[in-house]
């Protein structure tokens, strides 16, 4: 299954890249995220509660960040299991490009699913993946806007 999209985020590419590496921002942005911790420099462990059609399951997994070309290009590789619900594994390629409005974030996800999830059919799984991605980026943009405004507010209070 492949999913690709693009979004403009009102912040610099360096700021967006740093936010994509911040467990606090990610935890607040990932739909259904219960835990997200950095286990090593480029590794994260997460627990997420998700509903895909009639299947609701808690997924535990790991994600590794490959930042060889960061911050302009980088990849994420991950896998997770949800018990009898099945498993998911995949790779995400991300590109960050400066624009007049901030940063154009373009991503391509290649994923494989198995177990009961695979029995639901690609249409339902793809629709759910699109909904989750849209929710993530809406929350992520809100978190970034909050992070950008917070220093301004703190600075104004001290003046």
């Amino acid at each position: 299954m492949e999913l690709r999209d693009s979004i403009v985020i009102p912040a610099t590419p360096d700021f967006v890249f740093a936010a994509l590496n911040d467990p606090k921002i990610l935890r607040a942005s990932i739909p259904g995220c219960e835990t997200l911790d950095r286990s090593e420099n480029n590794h994260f462990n997460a627990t997420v509660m998700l509903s895909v059609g009639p299947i609701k399951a808690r997924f535990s997994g790991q994600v590794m960040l490959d930042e060889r070309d960061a911050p302009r290009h980088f990849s994420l590789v991950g896998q997770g299991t949800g018990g009898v619900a099945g498993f998911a594994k995949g790779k995400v390629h991300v590109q960050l490009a400066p624009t007049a409005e901030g940063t154009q974030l373009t991503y391509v996800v290649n994923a494989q699913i198995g177990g009961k999830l695979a029995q639901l059919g690609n249409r339902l799984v793809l629709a759910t993946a699109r909904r989750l991605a849209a929710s993530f980026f809406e929350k992520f943009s809100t978190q970034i806007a909050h992070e950008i405004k917070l220093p301004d507010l703190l600075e104004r209070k001290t003046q």
Side-chain angles (χ1 to χ4, degrees), residues 112-152:
Q112 298 173 333
I113 57 171
K116 287 186 178 182
L117 287 174
Q119 296 172 0
L120 293 175
N122 277 348
R123 265 176 112 175
L124 178 59
V125 173
L126 191 56
T128 301
R130 284 190 176 117
R131 179 180 50 80
L132 292 171
S135 177
F136 170 81
F137 284 112
E138 180 181 325
K139 291 177 180 181
F140 183 73
S141 293
T142 300
Q143 289 295 313
I144 284 182
H146 176 74
E147 292 293 320
I148 289 172
K149 290 177 185 171
L150 187 58
D152 291 341

Side-chain angles (χ1 to χ4, degrees), residues 82-94:
V84 295
F87 72 89
K89 62 181 180 177
K91 187 169 191 172
V92 181
H93 297 283
V94 179

